[in-house]
Amino acid sequence: MMTPDTIFLTTCSIAAAGWIIIIFLSPFWRGYDKFVTGIVITLLAIAYTWVNASNFDPGLIKKFGSLDGIAQIFSNRYLLTAAWIHFLAFDLLAAVWIKNNSVRHGISHLSIIPALIFSCLLGPFGYLIYLLTRFIKMRNYFAENF
């Protein structure tokens, strides 16, 4: 079995490819989102599922009810790595949504780069930055197709 460190480095490299595509190539590549969601995020989802399935313990389920329980779950480096892969996948998914939504609403790629960078680093904060950017550009919070 691969070590948590190897899994971490491998999945971070896979995610980095997705971020490079979204930030630098998406303005020039129409099908970037199909590649990022269909290949990059899918690979992360497979890794996530494999790490969790390889370390499944039914006794862990009851630990989800408290912060101390979560801390105990994440004391297992494999499960901590799985949680990190979860972040990697969902942050990329949010970035794809941000990019597609910005195109739908005519917001320039340059305008969303801060939101994408913050999505990479701080997930939901990047989403919030995008919503603020979109509101400033459109003067409408609940834009069509949200």
Side-chain angles (χ1 to χ4, degrees):
M1 180 174 230
M2 293 174 62
T3 68
D5 292 309
T6 303
I7 297 166
F8 175 84
L9 292 173
T10 302
T11 54
C12 284
S13 297
I14 292 167
W19 285 106
I20 289 168
I21 291 167
I22 292 170
I23 293 171
F24 298 107
L25 301 179
S26 67
F28 314 105
W29 182 9
R30 207 162 214 248
Y32 87 92
D33 55 343
K34 290 172 183 56
F35 184 84
V36 173
T37 57
I39 304 294
V40 175
I41 296 173
T42 299
L43 287 172
L44 294 172
I46 290 168
Y48 172 82
T49 302
W50 171 70
V51 172
N52 275 308
S54 300
N55 293 278
F56 181 73
D57 174 4
L60 295 176
I61 295 171
K62 63 185 173 199
K63 293 185 179 187
F64 277 96
S66 71
L67 188 56
D68 287 337
I70 296 294
Q72 288 174 359
I73 291 169
F74 290 155
S75 68
N76 176 319
R77 289 179 51 85
Y78 282 100
L79 298 178
L80 178 62
T81 303
W84 181 249
I85 298 167
H86 184 277
F87 284 122
L88 293 175
F90 274 92
D91 289 351
L92 271 172
L93 196 58
V96 169
W97 183 86
I98 288 168
K99 174 62 181 175
N100 286 344
N101 192 263
S102 71
V103 168
R104 185 176 300 121
H105 295 294
I107 300 169
S108 75
H109 183 75
L110 203 54
S111 296
I112 67 163
I113 288 177
L116 293 173
I117 291 170
F118 278 113
S119 290
C120 178
L121 301 173
L122 300 170
F125 182 61
Y127 172 75
L128 188 59
I129 294 295
Y130 172 67
L131 292 179
L132 182 61
T133 301
R134 188 179 72 184
F135 178 76
I136 290 168
K137 298 281 185 185
M138 297 182 61
R139 301 282 184 232
N140 182 0
Y141 178 72
F142 289 108
E144 187 175 329
N145 296 321
F146 197 77

